[in-house]
Amino acid sequence: MKKLTFALFVSLIVALLLVTSVSAASVKYEGTTGDLSWKVYDDGELVISGSAEMPDYELSSSKRAPWYSYRSLITEITIKSGVKSIGDYAFYSLTKAETVTVPRTVKSVGDRVFAECKLLEAVTFPNTVTTFGTYVFENCAALEEVTLPSGLNAINTGTFYGCTSLIDVVLPDEPSKIRTKAFYDCASLYDIVIPYSVVEIGEEAFVGCVDLEEMYFLGDAPTLKASSGKSVFEDNDDLYIYYMDGASGFTKGTWRTLNVEKYDGDDFEYGVAEDEDDSDEDDWISDNTPGNTNSSSSSKGDLGDLNEDDKINSADLRILRNCLSGQKNYDIDDYKKRADVDDDGKVTVIDYIILARYIDGWKGYDELPY
């Protein structure tokens, strides 16, 4: 009996080992690059590890990234903590890569790092990254959302060139320049907020942004580095440029040839009620749809409910608009705790856009803080 029991025990152990060996991914290719090591697993994951900077690569066959030959297999990129930079052309043309993980140890991102990654949909960078190379996401046709690091010093040349699916990008507060062709041919981009810090926009920065209808400038008018404002924004009659009360430069020179208006909140295309309409009824949303009442599971359940009526709707949006545009009797300090819907300690037009999308039920805007 004991021998039988022992035999069953051994059989179970063997079975478990077999199951484990089947379920765990195994290394298919591996090697070193500079002082880093890399492995490509048979489930499609590329893992790069070590404690050093990544070398720069080129397109010539002798200087390509060592995993380039296996690009048809790679679906996931994992950069382990310790890697200090991402070299030029590191993941160029990994056409099946869908996700990437970037650790906080990374300080810089080189030229064309993710160029031609056709299936890459979203990337989040840690705030440790301070510099980007050029054309980082060139022709990433599926890219929809990017979280940029807060200390990025510029939106470099061609950063989002040809990202035709890009719909959501929040620029950090630090960049002083949006360089040439930074958003060239971002055909799905509808709106964008330009931080206070931007003092210059390069030639053709927004050419080909055929759906771009709203730009919100939080500071003074930046210099347009082109012969005509039309060659920065293209001849887009549907584009409206909004500036904040007190900002300077938007009524001079090239800016006068564009659709430029002082921001008052009325023009945001989410059905905001007019000032004289005090009704709480909305003909563009239903109070029964998800996102119009606070989530009981949120630790900040009052976010977005500026008038404290236990609903989040266009009445709250109207209050936020009036605060941002400096309307009489609307002091942002009276609503700051509820109006800071991205929970970054500040209330800006970014909060207005997020709240509008949350109310309107946009995909990915179903929870506050955003």
Side-chain angles (χ1 to χ4, degrees):
M1 186 66 180
K2 288 183 178 179
K3 289 184 178 180
L4 181 59
T5 302
F6 180 77
L8 287 172
F9 176 76
V10 171
S11 298
L12 285 172
I13 293 298
V14 171
L16 286 172
L17 289 174
L18 287 172
V19 170
T20 302
S21 65
V22 170
S23 60
S26 59
V27 176
K28 198 170 182 67
Y29 307 102
E30 62 183 315
T32 60
T33 178
D35 294 324
L36 302 175
S37 61
W38 61 273
K39 295 179 180 180
V40 175
Y41 291 83
D42 59 6
D43 65 354
E45 184 180 18
L46 166 65
V47 177
I48 302 168
S49 59
S51 183
E53 293 189 352
M54 187 183 297
D56 288 329
Y57 309 101
E58 298 179 14
L59 285 185
S60 62
S61 58
S62 61
K63 297 182 179 180
R64 288 173 179 164
W67 46 80
Y68 180 83
S69 298
Y70 316 116
R71 60 191 182 280
S72 62
L73 174 64
I74 297 169
T75 59
E76 179 181 358
I77 302 167
T78 301
I79 305 170
K80 292 290 189 179
S81 180
V83 178
K84 298 179 180 179
S85 67
I86 305 177
D88 295 348
Y89 291 89
F91 309 116
Y92 181 86
S93 197
L94 299 189
T95 54
K96 293 189 177 180
E98 298 179 5
T99 62
V100 59
T101 301
V102 182
R104 293 185 57 81
T105 52
V106 171
K107 302 292 194 298
S108 64
V109 175
D111 295 339
R112 287 185 163 91
V113 165
F114 299 104
E116 307 295 337
C117 290
K118 303 292 187 181
L119 298 184
L120 192 64
E121 293 185 358
V123 182
T124 296
F125 290 97
N127 290 334
T128 52
V129 176
T130 57
T131 57
F132 265 34
T134 59
Y135 294 93
V136 171
F137 294 105
E138 180 184 24
N139 293 331
C140 290
L143 189 69
E144 294 184 0
E145 181 178 351
V146 176
T147 300
L148 294 171
S150 61
L152 197 63
N153 54 20
I155 309 302
N156 220 342
T157 300
T159 296
F160 296 104
Y161 185 104
C163 294
T164 53
S165 296
L166 186 68
I167 58 173
D168 191 12
V169 57
V170 177
L171 303 186
D173 291 336
E174 297 300 323
S176 59
K177 297 179 181 180
I178 298 175
R179 300 189 190 276
T180 301
K181 297 185 178 181
F183 292 92
Y184 190 95
D185 204 22
C186 289
S188 298
L189 191 65
Y190 174 78
D191 55 38
I192 189 168
V193 177
I194 308 300
Y196 297 93
S197 55
V198 173
V199 297
E200 180 182 301
I201 301 180
E203 190 167 1
E204 297 187 303
F206 293 94
V207 166
C209 298
V210 294
D211 281 351
L212 185 62
E213 294 189 11
E214 299 174 359
M215 296 185 71
Y216 296 84
F217 286 80
L218 301 185
D220 294 336
T223 299
L224 301 178
K225 298 295 287 184
S227 58
S228 165
K230 296 291 186 180
S231 60
V232 171
F233 304 109
E234 201 175 35
D235 189 10
N236 185 350
D237 293 335
D238 293 327
L239 173 62
Y240 278 81
I241 294 170
Y242 299 97
Y243 63 92
M244 300 296 109
D245 188 29
S248 63
F250 288 98
T251 57
K252 301 177 181 179
T254 303
W255 293 97
R256 290 184 299 179
T257 68
L258 306 169
N259 298 323
V260 177
E261 296 182 9
K262 186 170 73 171
Y263 173 75
D264 61 12
D266 278 343
D267 305 292
F268 202 85
E269 296 200 0
Y270 296 92
V272 179
E274 299 293 337
D275 283 336
E276 59 270 22
D277 181 6
D278 294 326
S279 170
D280 284 338
E281 294 183 3
D282 305 303
D283 57 6
W284 57 291
I285 57 175
S286 165
D287 285 338
N288 296 320
T289 59
N292 293 324
T293 59
N294 285 321
S295 171
S296 58
S297 62
S298 173
S299 61
K300 295 175 180 272
D302 55 354
L303 279 177
D305 184 17
L306 276 71
N307 60 4
E308 300 182 81
D309 65 351
D310 295 323
K311 293 186 291 185
I312 301 177
N313 53 29
S314 62
D316 302 294
L317 202 59
R318 186 163 58 247
I319 292 171
L320 183 52
R321 177 203 66 192
N322 290 337
C323 289
L324 289 170
S325 58
Q327 297 296 316
K328 186 178 180 181
N329 299 324
Y330 286 90
D331 186 346
I332 197 63
D333 289 335
D334 294 337
Y335 305 96
K336 188 170 184 179
K337 187 175 180 181
R338 295 176 174 81
D340 182 19
V341 295
D342 62 358
D343 200 24
D344 67 348
K346 298 174 291 185
V347 179
T348 68
V349 177
I350 293 173
D351 296 291
Y352 184 90
I353 292 175
I354 291 171
L355 186 59
R357 290 179 173 181
Y358 173 82
I359 292 171
D360 206 18
W362 276 48
K363 180 182 178 182
Y365 291 81
D366 53 359
E367 186 176 353
L368 298 176
Y370 173 74

